[in-house]
Amino acid sequence: MKTTIGFVGVGRMGANMARRLRDRGYAITAVYDALHPTALAVAAELGAHPCRELGEVTARADVIFTVVSDDAAQRAVFAASGDSLLTNASGRIFVNCATISPAIHTEIETAAAKAGAGSLEACMASSVPQARNGTLYLMCGGRLPLFNQLKPLLGELSNGGQTLRYIGPAGTAGQVKALVNMVMNINTAGLAEGLGLGAALGLHLPTLMDVFGQTGAASRVVTTDAEDMINQEHTCYFSAAHAAKDSGIALQLGRERGLHLPIAAATKAQYDRLVGLGLGNLDKSGIAELTFPGRSGSRK
Amino acid sequence: MKTTIGFVGVGRMGANMARRLRDRGYAITAVYDALHPTALAVAAELGAHPCRELGEVTARADVIFTVVSDDAAQRAVFAASGDSLLTNASGRIFVNCATISPAIHTEIETAAAKAGAGSLEACMASSVPQARNGTLYLMCGGRLPLFNQLKPLLGELSNGGQTLRYIGPAGTAGQVKALVNMVMNINTAGLAEGLGLGAALGLHLPTLMDVFGQTGAASRVVTTDAEDMINQEHTCYFSAAHAAKDSGIALQLGRERGLHLPIAAATKAQYDRLVGLGLGNLDKSGIAELTFPGRSGSRK
């Protein structure tokens, strides 16, 4: 019989991962959400049991995905006492997909092992459509044998495993994600300066954007953000506030190791300035508002 | 009869552009170089006349490519008096490929028009192998009808025209090149910080490099420079000193227009620091020496 699957946290990401696994033939047997009406709706759709307690999820599923929002929520679902996923968890496997502080993954791995369960960090570098289509970029941290055991299942979420990566011990996948976002934010802020200066020079911006995309200046963010920067179209996919937070996590890791990271620091300062102007809810492309001449955040 | 072609400046770039056009059936009829032995050798190879004076080139060719080293050299070959390409230049067309101050292209266009000649800025964002194979990325500035007239010829140097771009009036192609290099330098310095922090965290760097290349952190410089940064392989393709200079040109354009460009400024400061350490002759990937822990330029 195929592995049964539980989900803790069925917001947009979790629910779509669950739908994808259901489509691929897995039985989603248990669903829990901090907002119980959400759990009820998703459970009804997927034929799962809507759980009111975390211990029920553990009782009803072999592999349990947790897709929660932050450090506090992640710690709460693995609480040492009271209602917890760790209740009678022997033989269960937890796959923890939240972006949280790396050290928490190690804590959870230890606590799960004490309960006779396995724990894997599975850090996502993609968004809702990729969750639904099974094309997530999935970076994993934890014990290698556990990763290998879960490969067929995780492959259903990650292009048949083509975008599934084993990074290292628990917590390292989150470190890599922080570095990815740090570098992405730098590329984004740099692109905004290039396009903003092009605008100040009176250059034809669609041409400039094309040239950037075809030369040494090429980057993923030229494809995803340049047109939005030019058109001031900053509908949020990944918020400026989130960008500031992730660059901050990376800078903190750097400080702890005595590293001098001036480009990352200048980028963080720009995103902080955007947040300070009350524009933190814009997409990360909103950084262009600080550099294009005449826009709200531009200054001399 | 096919257009006859002259070359002024047959160093590695100019000579290989000439070889490419010869291969495509053009007669290279005149060759000049500040170092006459160089002109003699290239002229002998291509069946051209080795000219001792600039006026001879104008007398012997319809379209003349100038591929010189800097502002002073570019001004000298179009001198208002004495030996000059502008002598009896009526009906000739000049294609100026040097990376020089944008304003000089406007000066030359005006002077050429007075002499009854045409002038086009053709800025190259590629290197020697692309010159030889006719796969240059060529950005042009000047009058649009002249650009259209030269398209078939310039297409022989630029993937049949697939990488040939009309940017705008004379001087604008050089501005775009400065912006391309400014953005490329930012991406490079940011990548070095990402990999350097990864090294400090003890992450597996080839994996980190792969992840960067497959996520929002992806950029052309991940492909061209990441491995070199990891391996400290900084054989020069585009020097750190050149990177500092080009970022400086872009920042100067920004200052003249009252723009605040903190990411570009932080990048320029890093390249300046590398030059100050006597490492300006390294490839631009050498910026990694400032951020990887334990390397010569790293600091707290």
Side-chain angles (χ1 to χ4, degrees):
Chain A
M1 219 180 90
K2 250 191 177 175
T3 312
T4 56
I5 309 289
F7 270 85
V8 172
V10 282
R12 293 205 302 160
M13 284 301 288
N16 280 297
M17 292 164 73
R19 288 183 183 109
R20 166 69 185 174
L21 291 178
R22 186 264 329 259
D23 289 354
R24 301 299 296 168
Y26 285 90
I28 314 298
T29 51
V31 161
Y32 176 98
D33 196 273
L35 301 169
H36 193 60
T38 303
L40 283 171
V42 175
E45 177 192 341
L46 299 178
H49 183 81
C51 304
R52 285 200 175 268
E53 297 213 329
L54 293 160
E56 281 186 82
V57 186
T58 305
R60 290 169 179 272
D62 300 319
V63 174
I64 296 150
F65 286 82
T66 68
V67 194
V68 299
S69 58
D70 57 19
D71 286 7
Q74 186 73 81
R75 278 191 167 124
V77 301
F78 289 106
S81 58
D83 184 35
S84 168
L85 288 174
L86 294 177
T87 309
N88 298 323
S90 181
R92 299 296 185 268
I93 297 172
F94 300 104
V95 180
N96 304 308
C97 302
T99 299
I100 53 170
S101 301
I104 295 179
H105 286 291
T106 319
E107 286 174 27
I108 292 172
E109 188 179 62
T110 305
K114 273 188 198 164
S119 166
L120 190 77
E121 173 190 22
C123 204
M124 303 180 291
S126 335
S127 196
V128 173
Q130 291 79 31
R132 185 64 187 91
N133 303 326
T135 57
L136 290 170
Y137 195 93
L138 218 50
M139 299 181 283
C140 297
R143 301 211 168 88
L144 185 56
L146 183 63
F147 171 77
N148 285 330
Q149 183 187 336
L150 291 174
K151 256 186 176 173
L153 172 63
L154 296 177
E156 297 291 0
L157 295 169
S158 56
N159 287 300
Q162 283 181 65
T163 51
L164 177 66
R165 298 284 175 273
Y166 179 73
I167 303 293
T172 55
Q175 289 180 338
V176 168
K177 184 171 177 183
L179 293 184
V180 163
N181 287 355
M182 179 190 102
V183 170
M184 176 179 76
N185 296 342
I186 290 171
N187 293 353
T188 307
L191 174 63
E193 293 191 2
L195 292 171
L197 180 49
L201 294 168
L203 296 171
H204 184 246
L205 295 182
T207 299
L208 182 61
M209 181 182 85
D210 285 349
V211 172
F212 281 167
Q214 294 158 358
T215 56
S219 68
R220 179 76 59 90
V221 297
V222 173
T223 310
T224 57
D225 290 54
E227 200 170 346
D228 292 342
M229 289 180 180
I230 294 169
N231 299 331
Q232 295 190 271
E233 163 52 80
H234 304 306
T235 306
C236 190
Y237 290 92
F238 178 80
S239 75
H242 204 139
K245 193 194 83 175
D246 285 0
S247 284
I249 291 171
L251 282 166
Q252 179 57 30
L253 290 171
R255 263 191 302 275
E256 288 164 11
R257 278 138 191 103
L259 241 64
H260 180 63
L261 303 170
I263 318 300
T267 299
K268 167 79 160 61
Q270 283 287 80
Y271 274 107
D272 284 345
R273 193 153 78 81
L274 197 62
V275 172
L277 290 167
L279 301 174
N281 60 336
L282 297 185
D283 187 75
K284 73 181 191 299
S285 65
I287 196 81
E289 301 308 300
L290 299 183
T291 51
F292 277 61
R295 293 196 183 172
S296 59
S298 71
R299 68 172 186 192
K300 304 215 162 185
Chain B
M1 217 179 91
K2 248 193 177 172
T3 311
T4 57
I5 308 290
F7 270 87
V8 171
V10 281
R12 293 204 301 161
M13 284 301 287
N16 280 297
M17 293 165 73
R19 288 183 184 111
R20 167 69 185 176
L21 291 179
R22 185 266 328 263
D23 290 354
R24 300 299 297 168
Y26 285 90
I28 314 299
T29 51
V31 160
Y32 176 97
D33 197 274
L35 300 168
H36 192 61
T38 302
L40 284 170
V42 174
E45 177 192 340
L46 300 178
H49 182 80
C51 304
R52 284 200 175 269
E53 298 211 328
L54 293 160
E56 280 185 83
V57 186
T58 306
R60 290 170 179 272
D62 301 318
V63 175
I64 296 150
F65 286 82
T66 68
V67 194
V68 301
S69 57
D70 58 17
D71 286 8
Q74 187 72 80
R75 279 192 166 122
V77 300
F78 288 105
S81 60
D83 183 35
S84 169
L85 288 174
L86 294 176
T87 309
N88 298 321
S90 182
R92 298 297 186 270
I93 296 171
F94 300 104
V95 179
N96 305 309
C97 303
T99 300
I100 54 170
S101 301
I104 296 180
H105 286 291
T106 319
E107 285 174 27
I108 292 171
E109 186 178 63
T110 305
K114 273 188 194 160
S119 167
L120 190 77
E121 172 190 22
C123 204
M124 304 180 292
S126 334
S127 194
V128 172
Q130 289 78 31
R132 184 65 188 89
N133 302 327
T135 57
L136 290 171
Y137 195 92
L138 218 50
M139 298 181 282
C140 296
R143 302 209 168 90
L144 185 56
L146 183 63
F147 171 77
N148 285 329
Q149 182 186 335
L150 290 175
K151 256 186 176 173
L153 170 64
L154 297 176
E156 298 291 2
L157 294 168
S158 56
N159 288 301
Q162 284 183 64
T163 51
L164 177 65
R165 297 285 174 273
Y166 178 75
I167 303 293
T172 55
Q175 289 180 338
V176 168
K177 184 172 176 181
L179 293 185
V180 164
N181 288 354
M182 179 189 102
V183 171
M184 175 178 77
N185 297 339
I186 289 170
N187 293 353
T188 307
L191 174 63
E193 292 190 2
L195 292 171
L197 179 50
L201 294 170
L203 296 171
H204 185 245
L205 295 182
T207 298
L208 182 60
M209 180 181 87
D210 285 349
V211 172
F212 281 167
Q214 294 157 358
T215 57
S219 68
R220 179 77 59 90
V221 298
V222 173
T223 310
T224 57
D225 290 55
E227 199 171 345
D228 292 343
M229 288 180 179
I230 294 169
N231 298 331
Q232 294 192 274
E233 162 54 79
H234 304 307
T235 306
C236 190
Y237 290 90
F238 178 80
S239 75
H242 204 139
K245 195 194 81 175
D246 285 0
S247 284
I249 292 171
L251 282 166
Q252 179 57 30
L253 290 170
R255 263 190 302 275
E256 288 164 13
R257 278 140 191 99
L259 241 65
H260 179 63
L261 303 170
I263 319 300
T267 300
K268 168 78 159 64
Q270 282 287 78
Y271 274 107
D272 284 345
R273 193 154 78 81
L274 198 62
V275 171
L277 290 168
L279 301 173
N281 60 336
L282 297 185
D283 187 75
K284 73 180 191 301
S285 65
I287 197 81
E289 301 308 299
L290 299 182
T291 50
F292 276 64
R295 293 195 184 173
S296 59
S298 71
R299 68 172 185 192
K300 304 218 161 184

